[in-house]
């Protein structure tokens, strides 16, 4: 979102869908109203705005669900009302989710474009691991990185980040280690899959 906003020259607002939800009745729909009012004001002032919501599935759940609360349905309805005419205000709206199938079909119909970003393939997983080890003291060899990449099929970039970060934390708390080892990475992977 930040890169796209920079490319088109728009200021941007980014938040998680959970940031908009409240445990109080009607507060979530008010949060949606406020968000879009602020986006319109920003767009009017700056000539446009980019609004990015991560984990959008938390606010745009399918309304066909049998266990959905009435408040959730009100949030979806309010969101649909708000995004209907945002293009008239030069607001570019983007959302991200890991559970596309849980999004409301009426909401999906209002998006001009959907992009699917799949899970990284083995070579990409290897590059992600290398990137997260870079700049950190480590003794993990290229062959060991390849082994980690092979062992993490079906893992997302976020998962790999957590695994390497956990391996780094393990190293920090171990008084006998001063660099990330393959063993620390394997232990982090084992706990992650645990």
């Amino acid at each position: 979102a930040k890169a796209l906003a920079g490319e088109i020259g728009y200021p941007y607002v980014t938040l998680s869908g959970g940031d908009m939800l409240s445990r109080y009745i009607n507060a979530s729909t008010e949060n949606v109203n406020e968000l879009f009012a602020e986006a319109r004001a920003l767009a009017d002032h700056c000539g446009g705005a980019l609004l990015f919501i991560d984990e959008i599935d938390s606010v745009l759940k399918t309304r066909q669900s049998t266990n959905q609360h009435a408040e959730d349905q009100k949030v979806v309805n309010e969101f649909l009302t708000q995004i209907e005419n945002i293009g008239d205000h030069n607001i570019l709206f983007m959302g991200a989710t890991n559970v596309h199938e849980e999004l409301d079909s009426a909401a999906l119909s209002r998006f001009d474009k959907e992009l699917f970003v799949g899970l990284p393939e083995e070579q990409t997983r290897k590059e992600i691991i290398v990137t997260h080890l870079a700049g950190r003291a480590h003794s993990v060899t290229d062959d060991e990185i390849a082994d980690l990449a092979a062992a993490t099929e079906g893992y997302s970039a976020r998962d790999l980040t957590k695994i390497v970060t956990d391996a780094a934390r393990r190293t920090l708390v171990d008084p006998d280690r001063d660099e990330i080892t393959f063993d620390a990475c394997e232990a982090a992977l084992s706990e992650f899959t645990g």
Side-chain angles (χ1 to χ4, degrees):
K2 183 177 181 180
L4 179 60
E7 285 292 316
I8 61 177
Y10 282 2
Y12 70 97
V13 177
T14 181
L15 63 150
S16 168
D19 295 336
M20 299 174 59
L21 300 178
S22 172
R23 62 184 173 156
Y24 300 109
I25 293 177
N26 295 327
S28 296
T29 53
E30 290 173 14
N31 290 345
V32 172
N33 275 328
E34 289 176 22
L35 173 68
F36 281 93
E38 289 175 18
R40 282 191 296 277
L42 183 63
D44 289 345
H45 179 72
C46 299
L50 173 68
L51 177 58
F52 174 72
I53 300 180
D54 194 13
E55 300 172 9
I56 194 160
D57 49 282
S58 63
V59 290
L60 289 181
K61 296 177 190 138
T62 182
R63 291 172 290 176
Q64 315 310 324
S65 176
T66 57
N67 62 353
Q68 189 177 35
H69 192 276
E71 280 300 304
D72 294 334
Q73 291 181 3
K74 289 195 308 190
V75 170
V76 173
N77 291 339
E78 185 59 35
F79 221 97
L80 296 178
T81 300
Q82 293 292 336
I83 63 175
E84 187 65 34
N85 298 312
I86 58 174
D88 296 343
H89 297 278
N90 273 348
I91 298 172
L92 178 61
F93 178 79
M94 292 176 58
T97 181
N98 291 324
V99 285
H100 180 270
E101 65 279 358
E102 293 182 14
L103 293 177
D104 187 79
S105 59
L108 288 173
S109 72
R110 285 171 171 79
F111 297 133
D112 295 330
K113 189 166 198 102
E114 291 180 45
L115 300 173
F116 177 76
V117 179
L119 294 172
E121 295 181 0
E122 187 170 342
Q123 180 59 36
T124 305
R125 292 192 307 273
K126 183 178 175 183
E127 292 168 7
I128 292 167
I129 294 166
V130 167
T131 297
H132 287 295
L133 286 172
R136 295 178 169 172
H138 73 88
S139 61
V140 186
T141 67
D142 289 344
D143 288 341
E144 291 169 334
I145 290 171
D147 290 345
L148 285 170
T152 53
E153 183 174 351
Y155 287 60
S156 69
R158 177 180 280 179
D159 296 339
L160 297 171
T161 301
K162 287 179 181 179
I163 290 166
V164 174
T165 301
D166 185 39
R169 284 189 191 116
R170 289 169 186 274
T171 302
L172 285 173
V173 298
D174 186 340
D176 297 329
R177 293 199 177 136
D178 58 358
E179 62 185 9
I180 300 169
T181 63
F182 180 64
D183 289 342
C185 292
E186 280 190 314
L189 176 59
S190 292
E191 186 171 306
F192 188 84
T193 58

